[in-house]
Amino acid sequence: PTATNAAGARSVNPEITDAQLAIGGTNPFTDPAKGKEQALALVATGVDHMFAVGSGSNGGIFEAATQEGVYAY
């Protein structure tokens, strides 16, 4: 689905790029701290929108987005 979302975004603005990063670790869907760590890594590369698909890790992703002033949904 993320490739489809990126294609839709590029149909409006061809300059949009897509970056995907797996949370990783032993429990990627239940580790908010790791989700935040990975989200902060993405923000450091210039990402300004994140599509959180980390289930129980999403809390960390949303926390990082709020902290850094970027969008997450």
Side-chain angles (χ1 to χ4, degrees):
T2 58
T4 303
N5 292 339
R10 277 194 287 283
S11 74
V12 176
N13 180 351
E15 300 295 314
I16 290 175
T17 60
D18 178 44
Q20 298 179 28
L21 180 62
I23 294 171
T26 56
N27 292 308
F29 296 107
T30 59
D31 191 346
K34 186 71 171 174
K36 181 177 181 179
E37 177 185 318
Q38 295 295 60
L40 291 172
L42 279 174
V43 172
T45 69
V47 167
D48 58 358
H49 287 256
M50 292 182 280
F51 181 42
V53 292
S55 190
S57 297
N58 285 350
I61 295 167
F62 295 131
E63 186 178 322
T66 299
Q67 175 183 316
E68 298 298 318
V70 300
Y71 297 97
Y73 30 88

